[in-house]
Amino acid sequence: MTAANKHAVPTAAVLLVLASWPAAAHADEADLAERVDLSGDFRLRYESIDRAGLPEQSRSRYRVRLNAGVDLYDDVRFVVSLATAADNPVSRNVTFGGNALDDDFGVDLAYVQWRPRPDLDVFAGKMKNPMFAPGRDQLVYDNDLNPGGVAAAWAPGNWFVNAGAFAVEQRSLTADTLLYHVQAGGDWRFSGVTLKAGAGYLVYTNTVGNTPFVFDLPAGNTVDAMNRYVYEYANVEAFAEFGAALGGLPLSVFAHYTENVEVSREDAGLAVGLTLGEARDAGSWEAGWTWKQVEADAVVGSFTESDFGGGGTDVEGHVFGGSYLLRDRLTLEATLFLNEAITFRDDARDYRRVQLDLQFEFD
């Protein structure tokens, strides 16, 4: 564990104590135990990865997340979460091995949520991504990415607006890179049918001339001979999610399109998919399919899905998945990735990934 990670857990503990202090001071309003809730999950994973031209890789992994929420006031809530793989913004998985050394564990979430009115939430800190992703697709952002900054979610009536400003990379000698994202749309429900649809715009500042954001790896994006970004990334997006019932089972169908307006080729990403069923109670199940294509400079490769095609852009293919709730808070999941690289870089390759998960949840 690095020096920074050694301080991660104590830091989170201090934050939680500080957050609980105002609640304790107002014990006359409500008992502290009623103002704090704890939750978490533990996932075991076996996966096999087969990449054309490389030996097949098999590995066993795990993920742990521990969460605490404190109601500071009636309209203010503090949330902190600790998780494994603290050094990777798009994955919380840890691979068994490493000569039994201690694994990284650090702050995954630390934010304040203020609700000044019933239809408005304001967030500040390192938060769960507040942007809407139809079908929980990971076309633009990996689901594990928890950005730091400020954001707001406003849902007046059948409409919604999400907006955020996040710090991506701070530099001492050159300008920082920030991310701004805004979405707007409608959320309609009628006669057992739901439809949520909208559009958005996101932009990264000061990308050109800087090295890739995560581990200095371009992750499919175009870089120069000095491993520096060649393009800026400013995306328009459109999305829709439709819900209904099919044979007594819930059915969800979604589509998500994005385009980087700063480039003239390899600029588009598209994800479509469906889910049937819902693994909510013991004995229930769900199954889904997604097809996705992410061209080389469609999105920032560092932050798109880390499992699809091995992570990054310049890839397309299918994802098949299913889950079964063995008992309350115990889920068995299986996922199959059948992907291939797009030929833009003239290195077309097949990619197959199989994941088997057993996840325990508690609250």
Side-chain angles (χ1 to χ4, degrees):
M1 181 178 292
T2 64
N5 288 323
K6 289 180 180 179
H7 296 290
V9 173
T11 300
V14 170
L15 289 171
L16 182 56
V17 170
L18 291 176
S20 304
W21 186 13
H26 293 80
D28 56 327
E29 298 178 10
D31 184 77
L32 179 60
E34 297 178 355
R35 302 170 72 91
V36 177
D37 59 77
L38 303 174
S39 63
D41 61 76
F42 171 60
R43 184 179 69 194
L44 292 168
R45 166 174 289 177
Y46 167 81
E47 68 179 357
S48 173
I49 301 173
D50 186 4
R51 293 164 289 190
L54 296 174
E56 184 174 350
Q57 178 185 15
S58 297
R59 58 187 180 183
S60 299
R61 316 187 84 187
Y62 76 95
R63 181 191 70 187
V64 178
R65 297 182 297 192
L66 304 175
N67 317 305
V70 184
D71 291 327
L72 304 183
Y73 309 99
D74 290 341
D75 59 347
V76 179
R77 180 174 176 80
F78 172 78
V79 175
V80 63
S81 175
L82 307 178
T84 45
D87 62 344
N88 190 341
V90 292
S91 176
R92 299 293 168 265
N93 296 306
V94 176
T95 301
F96 286 108
N99 299 317
L101 294 174
D102 291 344
D103 296 320
D104 291 341
F105 200 69
V107 177
D108 192 32
L109 299 170
Y111 67 90
V112 172
Q113 177 181 355
W114 175 42
R115 179 168 291 177
R117 46 186 289 172
D119 60 1
L120 176 62
D121 288 301
V122 179
F123 308 89
K126 182 173 173 57
M127 68 196 74
K128 197 67 181 174
N129 197 326
M131 298 301 155
F132 176 66
R136 284 183 55 78
D137 83 272
Q138 303 178 72
L139 177 64
V140 178
Y141 306 119
D142 189 284
N143 285 338
D144 281 330
L145 182 68
N146 297 325
V150 294
W154 183 37
N158 293 326
W159 306 98
F160 69 89
V161 177
N162 302 320
F166 309 109
V168 175
E169 187 168 304
Q170 294 186 320
R171 308 180 182 92
S172 58
L173 300 179
T174 59
D176 298 338
T177 293
L178 304 176
L179 166 62
Y180 299 99
H181 196 163
V182 61
Q183 297 176 324
D187 190 355
W188 301 278
R189 302 171 184 271
F190 46 90
S191 302
V193 174
T194 64
L195 175 63
K196 188 169 185 177
Y201 179 75
L202 63 106
V203 58
Y204 292 82
T205 66
N206 303 312
T207 301
V208 172
N210 288 301
T211 56
F213 301 132
V214 179
F215 306 135
D216 288 337
L217 297 175
N221 292 152
T222 302
V223 293
D224 62 18
M226 299 294 291
N227 194 38
R228 295 172 179 170
Y229 285 120
V230 172
Y231 300 121
E232 300 288 357
Y233 293 84
N235 284 61
V236 294
E237 63 173 343
F239 48 79
E241 182 176 291
F242 172 80
L246 179 65
L249 295 172
L251 171 68
S252 176
V253 180
F254 76 88
H256 192 179
Y257 175 81
T258 187
E259 182 176 322
N260 181 6
V261 299
E262 293 290 338
V263 298
S264 58
R265 65 173 185 172
E266 294 296 310
D267 58 352
L270 174 66
V272 296
L274 58 85
T275 301
L276 180 65
E278 184 176 15
R280 173 178 290 182
D281 304 312
S284 61
W285 59 270
E286 65 183 62
W289 161 81
T290 298
W291 181 85
K292 183 162 58 172
Q293 182 184 70
V294 193
E295 294 179 334
D297 292 297
V299 296
V300 170
S302 297
F303 297 143
T304 191
E305 184 178 3
S306 62
D307 291 332
F308 185 78
T313 63
D314 196 26
V315 66
E316 66 181 6
H318 302 269
V319 182
F320 301 90
S323 60
Y324 179 78
L325 207 61
L326 297 168
R327 54 170 61 182
D328 290 342
R329 299 181 296 279
L330 177 58
T331 306
L332 178 65
E333 298 184 1
T335 309
L336 170 64
F337 297 82
L338 296 176
N339 315 139
E340 63 179 357
I342 304 173
T343 57
F344 172 61
R345 308 222 180 275
D346 198 27
D347 61 348
R349 63 190 184 281
D350 291 330
Y351 181 92
R352 186 191 69 192
R353 188 177 196 140
V354 178
Q355 296 176 337
L356 299 175
D357 296 340
L358 186 64
Q359 179 164 304
F360 302 82
E361 298 180 3
F362 59 88
D363 51 29

